[in-house]
Amino acid sequence: MGFRFDLFLLSVAILWAPSLSDLVISKVDRRIDLTSQIVRISATLKVENVGPDPVLEVLLPFPDHQAKNFAYLAAATNEGKGKSKGPATSLPIEVVQPNEMPPALTWYSVSLPKGLGKGESLTLDVLAVFTHALRPFPEKISQAENQLVAFQESAHYLSPYIVKVQLLSVKLPPDFKPESYTKLEKSELSGSEIKYGPYENLPPFSYSPIIVHFGNNQPFAVAQELLREIEISHWGNVQVTEHYNLIHGGSQIKGEFSRLDYQARPHVGGASAFRHLVANLPPRAHSVYYRDEIGNISTSNLWGDSKKTQLEIEPRYPMFGGWRTSFTIGYGLPLKDFLFQSEGKRFLNISFGSPIRDLVIDNLIVKVVLPEGSKDVSVSAPFSVKQWHETKFSHLDIDGRPVVVLEKTNVVQEHSQYFQVYYKFNNVSLLREPLMLIFGFFFMFIACIVYVHADLTISKSSASYVAKLQWDEVKTAIQQVQNIINRCLTVHDRLDATLRDLSRTGDVQACKVARKAADSLLKDLSKELKPLLAFLHSSPQAAQILLKVEDLVAKEHELQEKLMLKHSTVVEGYEKKSGGREMENRVALIQQKLIALRQEVDDLLEVIDEI
């Protein structure tokens, strides 16, 4: 219904359009290629000037419903015939709006290389490329169905000039016959090609709408956004990184996806899906990778020789209509193949579009990252692009790297033409980063040497340093006191053990020998303790802990006296062979006191440790 309404509006708009009578198109041969998702219309026009004045331009009108899907338009003229035919000369094209022309048309002006005089003729080759011109019909299909699309055109060549003879051929995918097509006088279907004409003596703005409905399972791969980053390194490499946000632009799949049906019969259970894409990389591409957010994707194949490098990539899952995926392709190129010098400037000469075949790019952004220190940057492109400049900071950068950003919408394979980025660069700047590394490591080593040999301690004459030294001496003395007390406690334990042996063996003499040895050890430990206590009394730093130390020494001395009393009482009882309740009571009282004193000594040792 939408098709028919557009055609009705266009027909009404051109009925009252005036003609331009200076030019006559003696013959038009149009060829429409519908074998992929991209529509390519090529036309060969033989133009004659029947007016009195020279003509400098040829006007090409396109209906608005086609113009909104315009991707690429080129025109060239050939001189000579047959073997003497010269090389094609591309002609400049610009958008114009002639006076008193229908508003439903978009006009392009092809400027002729020289004025076409009265009675003269020339031949123009015109190529128009459209994206999103094939409308899925129906818009939703099941997994097993083939994809059907519809295309809308005119059997007559739409022109403001009289057309004497016109031919049209529509080429369809070879695997399908058309579901339906508009049948007119002098129309026929021959294999996968529909022919209209010849039609003769067509008036200006002649329009005869046709619609072709046919099957097309070619990959409808559409990159909604593609970011290409081309980074130049004067150390011998051009690194290219391409980030794709891809969608299948064909009929959307309805219902659930069956992996079983797809695996069993992929050409039936997934006829409208595409499984792989092919990218034609530049020759001698190296370090090629293919990955997404998850990581490396191993389902890819790479072939290459001195003339070409071909990368076949397969997404993680088959792409049905409306399904999306994102991935990144990266590769390196030899610098000498793409960077040249001319008139004191260096220039990068590299292709603009994507290397993937028959890919439609809704929005393409190309970023060319130049080396730091580049200046006088300019761009030369074979077609109009939006451009601006940025700065990118990477490792060891000071001022940042200049970045030229080019943006274009509706990009197709015909845009994969070479463009140039010119800039000036001083070779001395190549030494900037190596020298930064050298001096950086040099100063780091110097700093390490200075740090190792420098005395960073606090001045020995300062009060804080003196106080720290005094406190360290106090701690050392206290640790020695604790060590002596622990040794005294060990002697106590050994002497108490001889009393237990006495009760078992009755050897009084051995017990007296042990008592004598213990007295000698305790006397020596007491002598070691006196200078330490004297130092603590003389040091102001020990004032906060001195009372605890004195209490510890006093408790140990009292513990020692009680232990000797117990030892004497028990030995004396064994010598006199006197027992009885009275002696046992005396020993029990002494033992209770010993236990209490030992606990107090242990507690004091813990308190001093904490302080």
Side-chain angles (χ1 to χ4, degrees):
M1 186 66 184
F3 288 138
R4 300 184 183 278
F5 184 69
D6 290 341
L7 297 177
F8 173 75
L9 291 179
L10 180 62
S11 301
V12 171
I14 65 177
L15 284 177
W16 51 270
S19 64
L20 302 176
S21 58
D22 287 345
L23 289 180
V24 171
I25 300 178
S26 58
K27 185 177 181 180
V28 178
D29 187 5
R30 283 193 300 157
R31 299 163 298 279
I32 302 177
D33 187 353
L34 303 181
T35 57
S36 69
Q37 67 162 328
I38 301 172
V39 176
R40 293 177 171 88
I41 303 178
S42 57
T44 301
L45 287 70
K46 186 176 180 180
V47 182
E48 297 180 5
N49 183 7
V50 297
D53 299 325
V55 176
L56 299 177
E57 65 177 1
V58 176
L59 296 178
L60 303 176
F62 293 91
D64 283 347
H65 71 269
Q66 280 188 341
K68 68 181 180 181
N69 297 321
F70 237 133
Y72 182 79
L73 179 63
T77 178
N78 290 312
E79 296 182 358
K81 295 182 180 180
K83 295 182 179 179
S84 63
K85 192 174 183 179
T89 303
S90 297
L91 302 178
I93 301 176
E94 62 179 354
V95 180
V96 295
Q97 184 57 52
N99 296 328
E100 300 181 356
M101 289 298 163
L105 298 176
T106 300
W107 293 82
Y108 291 85
S109 171
V110 180
S111 299
L112 301 180
K114 60 181 180 179
L116 189 65
K118 179 180 179 180
E120 295 181 344
S121 64
L122 60 80
T123 301
L124 285 179
D125 291 328
V126 179
L127 173 64
V129 182
F130 302 89
T131 62
H132 307 292
L134 299 181
R135 301 187 185 181
F137 190 77
E139 295 182 353
K140 293 185 178 182
I141 58 176
S142 65
Q143 179 179 339
E145 288 182 293
N146 290 315
Q147 178 175 261
L148 300 177
V149 295
F151 175 69
Q152 167 188 345
E153 242 297 336
S154 171
H156 296 171
Y157 179 62
L158 181 61
S159 173
Y161 313 112
I162 296 174
V163 178
K164 292 184 177 180
V165 179
Q166 184 227 281
L167 297 172
L168 171 64
S169 64
V170 181
K171 186 177 181 181
L172 305 178
D175 299 334
F176 297 94
K177 290 185 178 180
E179 296 289 318
S180 64
Y181 66 96
T182 303
K183 297 180 180 180
L184 302 176
E185 182 184 0
K186 297 182 181 180
S187 63
E188 65 173 335
L189 174 64
S190 176
S192 60
E193 188 174 11
I194 304 174
K195 296 182 179 180
Y196 291 91
Y199 300 112
E200 299 178 354
N201 299 321
L202 298 178
F205 297 101
S206 178
Y207 193 83
S208 179
I210 60 172
I211 296 177
V212 183
H213 188 211
F214 61 99
N216 190 339
N217 284 335
Q218 295 298 315
F220 274 49
V222 179
Q224 293 182 314
E225 183 176 73
L226 168 57
L227 173 61
R228 298 187 74 212
E229 185 173 271
I230 304 169
E231 186 168 354
I232 302 174
S233 172
H234 283 169
W235 295 102
N237 188 60
V238 176
Q239 183 63 38
V240 181
T241 307
E242 301 174 352
H243 304 278
Y244 291 83
N245 289 327
L246 206 67
I247 186 174
H248 188 306
S251 300
Q252 297 184 12
I253 184 173
K254 63 181 179 180
E256 296 183 353
F257 169 65
S258 172
R259 171 66 69 172
L260 179 60
D261 291 344
Y262 178 78
Q263 294 284 58
R265 298 183 300 169
H267 295 288
V268 177
S272 63
F274 63 84
R275 301 157 189 80
H276 63 268
L277 298 170
V278 177
N280 292 321
L281 306 182
R284 300 205 293 169
H286 60 86
S287 306
V288 181
Y289 63 85
Y290 167 47
R291 64 181 181 223
D292 58 10
E293 295 178 352
I294 300 176
N296 183 64
I297 306 175
S298 59
T299 52
S300 62
N301 296 293
L302 182 68
W303 302 273
D305 53 31
S306 60
K307 296 182 179 179
K308 63 178 180 179
T309 303
Q310 190 174 80
L311 174 65
E312 182 184 75
I313 61 176
E314 184 176 342
R316 294 186 182 272
Y317 44 85
M319 292 291 294
F320 284 89
W323 289 17
R324 303 171 184 269
T325 185
S326 299
F327 59 87
T328 299
I329 297 175
Y331 50 93
L333 301 172
L335 182 68
K336 64 180 181 179
D337 293 350
F338 297 91
L339 190 67
F340 309 93
Q341 289 189 357
S342 175
E343 299 179 357
K345 280 190 172 185
R346 303 169 190 253
F347 68 93
L348 175 73
N349 187 45
I350 198 167
S351 61
F352 181 80
S354 169
I356 297 180
R357 297 176 186 171
D358 291 328
L359 177 69
V360 172
I361 307 172
D362 289 342
N363 188 49
L364 171 61
I365 298 176
V366 178
K367 293 186 176 182
V368 180
V369 184
L370 303 176
E372 187 178 24
S374 302
K375 56 184 180 180
D376 295 341
V377 181
S378 60
V379 178
S380 175
F383 36 75
S384 62
V385 293
K386 181 182 178 182
Q387 61 175 286
W388 65 92
H389 295 268
E390 295 178 352
T391 301
K392 178 182 179 180
F393 286 89
S394 185
H395 51 274
L396 301 179
D397 286 345
I398 298 176
D399 301 324
R401 306 184 183 191
V403 180
V404 178
V405 185
L406 308 177
E407 184 177 11
K408 188 170 182 61
T409 58
N410 234 13
V411 177
V412 292
Q413 191 171 351
E414 280 73 13
H415 289 110
S416 295
Q417 303 180 33
Y418 284 89
F419 71 101
Q420 296 77 37
V421 178
Y422 295 86
Y423 63 97
K424 289 184 178 180
F425 184 80
N426 192 339
N427 287 331
V428 177
S429 299
L430 280 173
L431 303 176
R432 178 184 298 182
E433 293 183 358
L435 289 176
M436 288 176 61
L437 287 174
I438 293 171
F439 283 108
F441 281 110
F442 174 76
F443 286 121
M444 183 183 71
F445 291 142
I446 293 297
C448 291
I449 293 172
V450 171
Y451 176 78
V452 170
H453 290 82
D455 185 4
L456 302 179
T457 58
I458 302 174
S459 174
K460 296 181 179 180
S461 60
S462 65
S464 59
Y465 182 76
V466 172
K468 181 178 181 301
L469 288 180
Q470 291 177 350
W471 176 244
D472 290 341
E473 292 174 353
V474 169
K475 288 197 296 182
T476 301
I478 292 173
Q479 290 173 355
Q480 293 176 353
V481 170
Q482 289 177 303
N483 186 35
I484 292 173
I485 296 298
N486 286 324
R487 290 162 63 190
C488 291
L489 294 178
T490 303
V491 173
H492 296 172
D493 294 338
R494 291 176 181 173
L495 186 60
D496 193 47
T498 61
L499 295 179
R500 292 193 294 273
D501 292 340
L502 178 63
S503 64
R504 187 177 70 255
T505 62
D507 190 353
V508 176
Q509 190 60 34
C511 194
K512 288 184 177 181
V513 172
R515 167 66 180 274
K516 186 176 181 180
D519 286 341
S520 176
L521 288 173
L522 292 172
K523 185 176 181 181
D524 293 339
L525 292 173
S526 179
K527 289 180 180 180
E528 293 180 20
L529 193 60
K530 286 182 180 180
L532 296 173
L533 293 175
F535 169 74
L536 293 175
H537 278 91
S538 63
S539 175
Q541 296 289 339
Q544 59 178 345
I545 200 172
L546 181 59
L547 294 178
K548 296 292 183 182
V549 174
E550 289 179 338
D551 193 14
L552 174 63
V553 173
K555 292 294 182 182
E556 191 280 328
H557 186 68
E558 185 179 356
L559 177 62
Q560 181 179 327
E561 290 179 348
K562 293 296 181 182
L563 181 61
M564 295 305 175
L565 177 59
K566 175 184 175 182
H567 190 277
S568 300
T569 303
V570 173
V571 171
E572 183 181 351
Y574 270 92
E575 286 180 335
K576 295 180 179 181
K577 296 181 180 180
S578 60
R581 180 71 61 179
E582 182 179 355
M583 190 184 73
E584 291 178 359
N585 291 338
R586 287 176 59 193
V587 172
L589 291 173
I590 296 172
Q591 183 63 31
Q592 290 179 358
K593 187 64 175 176
L594 284 172
I595 294 173
L597 288 171
R598 182 61 180 264
Q599 184 62 43
E600 291 181 6
V601 170
D602 291 339
D603 292 342
L604 286 170
L605 285 172
E606 291 181 1
V607 170
I608 293 173
D609 276 337
E610 293 176 357
I611 296 177

